[in-house]
Amino acid sequence: MVFTQSLSFLTKWDSAIQNNQMIGPLVIMGVAGCGKSSFAAVLSQSLGWQLIEGDEFHPSENVNKMRSGIALTDEDRAGWLAVLADELVHRGPSAVLTCSALKKAYRDRLRQSVPGLRFVHLDLTREQSLARVTQRPGHYFQPALVDSQFAALEKPLHEAGVLMVDATQSIETIQAQVCAWMQDKECV
């Protein structure tokens, strides 16, 4: 008996894996003010991938806490991370997600849903973060919360599938580094 699988039943994931095109999705991570949103918008547009802006998926309770200068807890982030993981699965391999992903446990939660998920960590100092966050009037993330981000941050120094880049470089320089890492010259 010969088993054949109809291609019409393949998901976006199956098709990407079958065609050796599994280079995404990608998470752009880092503390507040590192440039996740700005860089992810440029990268997703150049790749022709969908942008998932993680901040847009925070429940109103989380936004209200941050607006009030109250740092989020692991429990506050748990539901948000579950929604982001679902979004990654739903959108398929051609997506760029912005997410602080401060702790290894948060990154592992996303990896549970998307094995082999890769991260670009936009790294900068506390002082650089504070300077950038202070220049974002009207954003719900308050400058007083920067210290809590660095207190929670577990840098992904020895994790597979992570590229660390200096967030103070130009977007063009960061993009060139990310594209070289992804081995996709078309994204420059």
Side-chain angles (χ1 to χ4, degrees), residues 4-38:
T4 58
Q5 180 178 10
S6 170
L7 290 178
S8 64
F9 292 107
L10 292 177
T11 66
K12 296 176 203 173
W13 289 103
D14 296 326
S15 177
I17 292 167
Q18 186 177 51
N19 295 320
N20 274 337
Q21 297 172 341
M22 188 63 183
I23 59 171
L26 194 62
V27 177
I28 309 302
M29 64 163 286
V31 296
C34 71
K36 294 182 293 288
S37 296
S38 298

Side-chain angles (χ1 to χ4, degrees), residues 29-39 55 100 102 122-136 139 141-143 145-146 149-150 166-169 174:
M29 64 163 286
V31 296
C34 71
K36 294 182 293 288
S37 296
S38 298
F39 175 65
D55 283 349
S100 55
L102 298 173
L122 300 178
D123 192 32
L124 77 171
T125 67
R126 179 203 167 279
E127 293 74 23
Q128 292 162 333
S129 172
L130 184 58
R132 288 181 176 192
V133 169
T134 302
Q135 295 173 5
R136 298 188 314 189
H139 193 281
F141 188 90
Q142 299 299 307
L145 293 173
V146 167
Q149 294 258 296
F150 281 89
D166 179 350
T168 63
Q169 300 176 104
I174 294 171

